Amino acid sequence: NKEVTIFKQRFFYIFDETQDFMTDSGKIDKKDLKKKDGSLIKTNTGKEFTIFSADFIDNYRKIGRKAQIITPKDIGMILTETGVNKNSKVVDAGTGSGALACYLARICKEVTSYDIRDDSIEIAKKNREFLNLKNLKIKKKDIFKGIDEKELDLIVLDMPNPWNGIKSCENSLKIGGYLVIYVPTILQISDFVNEIKKYDSFVY
């Protein structure tokens, strides 16, 4: 995929480099889309663009969405607070569109995402393919019934009732691993905290 910028003010994301690309500033010829990054190209009306390859974040912004996805700000907080890295093994439960799972897979060694909805799994798989993430597995399974992966560095529960998954997480997190929940209301946080207090194996 390519991007072009005009006078550092406007960007266009180009999905198909085999076709001419139309803008309100004129047509960009498909042969120009093949030029190397940094090349100056012109539309048929004489408007100048600089062309460069899209990187991961450019592609990530174009993934399919089934519903509201976790925000980049919140993804950043998860990464900062947990310190996951290229050696980390992660489980994400409540796949949704797969936005968080895809971002984690860009950084971590291995990511597995669990969901029970076929529509969520379908769009997440399409997003995985679009971003070419080979280290992301997507499973149709109820995480409340257990997590197959063990010695995990991080588990994220993005679901309405994350307290029901605490036992599964306890059995799969490594010593010193992180459990993160992503919920919209204080009441859900309160219910989760009240439940996790029953477990001696968690520090919070």
Side-chain angles (χ1 to χ4, degrees), residues 155-182:
I155 299 175
V156 181
L157 303 180
D158 182 3
M159 54 186 59
N161 51 345
W163 47 88
N164 290 333
I166 295 175
K167 185 63 179 178
S168 296
C169 295
E170 180 185 42
N171 293 332
S172 285
L173 278 171
K174 75 175 189 180
I175 301 298
Y178 289 86
L179 172 57
V180 172
I181 66 166
Y182 191 74

Side-chain angles (χ1 to χ4, degrees), residues 66-120:
K66 183 177 71 71
Q68 179 65 36
I69 64 172
I70 186 169
T71 66
K73 173 177 67 69
D74 291 333
I75 292 174
M77 182 63 72
I78 292 171
L79 298 177
T80 300
E81 293 295 328
T82 64
V84 289
N85 55 62
K86 64 181 181 179
N87 299 315
S88 301
K89 293 173 59 179
V90 177
V91 159
D92 161 57
T95 305
S97 300
L100 176 61
C102 287
Y103 210 105
L104 288 169
R106 169 69 173 180
I107 294 169
C108 301
K109 179 180 180 180
E110 179 183 310
V111 177
T112 306
S113 192
Y114 284 70
D115 209 296
I116 58 174
R117 293 176 58 103
D118 289 327
D119 55 342
S120 294

Side-chain angles (χ1 to χ4, degrees), residues 120-183:
S120 294
I121 291 170
E122 180 180 359
I123 192 169
K125 286 183 176 180
K126 288 179 180 178
N127 287 334
R128 176 185 63 185
E129 292 169 7
F130 177 65
L131 295 172
N132 193 31
L133 296 167
K134 305 298 185 184
N135 60 330
L136 172 57
K137 299 176 184 177
I138 300 171
K139 292 185 176 181
K140 184 179 181 180
K141 183 178 177 181
D142 185 350
I143 198 169
F144 300 156
K145 297 179 180 178
I147 300 172
D148 299 328
E149 294 73 25
K150 306 300 178 186
E151 291 295 300
L152 295 168
D153 297 280
L154 168 66
I155 299 175
V156 181
L157 303 180
D158 182 3
M159 54 186 59
N161 51 345
W163 47 88
N164 290 333
I166 295 175
K167 185 63 179 178
S168 296
C169 295
E170 180 185 42
N171 293 332
S172 285
L173 278 171
K174 75 175 189 180
I175 301 298
Y178 289 86
L179 172 57
V180 172
I181 66 166
Y182 191 74
V183 292

Side-chain angles (χ1 to χ4, degrees), residues 10-68:
R10 299 185 62 194
F11 292 85
F12 293 97
Y13 184 95
I14 301 170
F15 285 94
D16 187 357
E17 299 169 42
T18 66
Q19 303 290 327
D20 294 339
F21 184 73
M22 296 300 302
T23 77
D24 54 6
S25 298
K27 180 184 71 173
I28 300 174
D29 196 288
K30 61 185 179 183
K31 73 178 188 313
D32 288 330
L33 299 177
K34 301 293 185 182
K35 292 184 177 179
K36 67 180 182 179
D37 287 2
S39 296
L40 191 67
I41 59 178
K42 292 183 179 181
T43 68
N44 62 329
T45 63
K47 290 290 185 180
E48 292 185 337
F49 287 78
T50 300
I51 190 163
F52 55 94
S53 298
D55 59 19
F56 175 80
I57 194 62
D58 298 315
N59 295 328
Y60 179 81
R61 293 188 179 111
K62 300 297 181 181
I63 62 174
R65 301 184 181 195
K66 183 177 71 71
Q68 179 65 36

Side-chain angles (χ1 to χ4, degrees), residues 163 181 183 185-196:
W163 47 88
I181 66 166
V183 292
T185 72
I186 292 296
L187 181 59
Q188 288 168 298
I189 294 173
S190 177
D191 288 342
F192 180 83
V193 170
N194 288 335
E195 183 64 26
I196 204 170

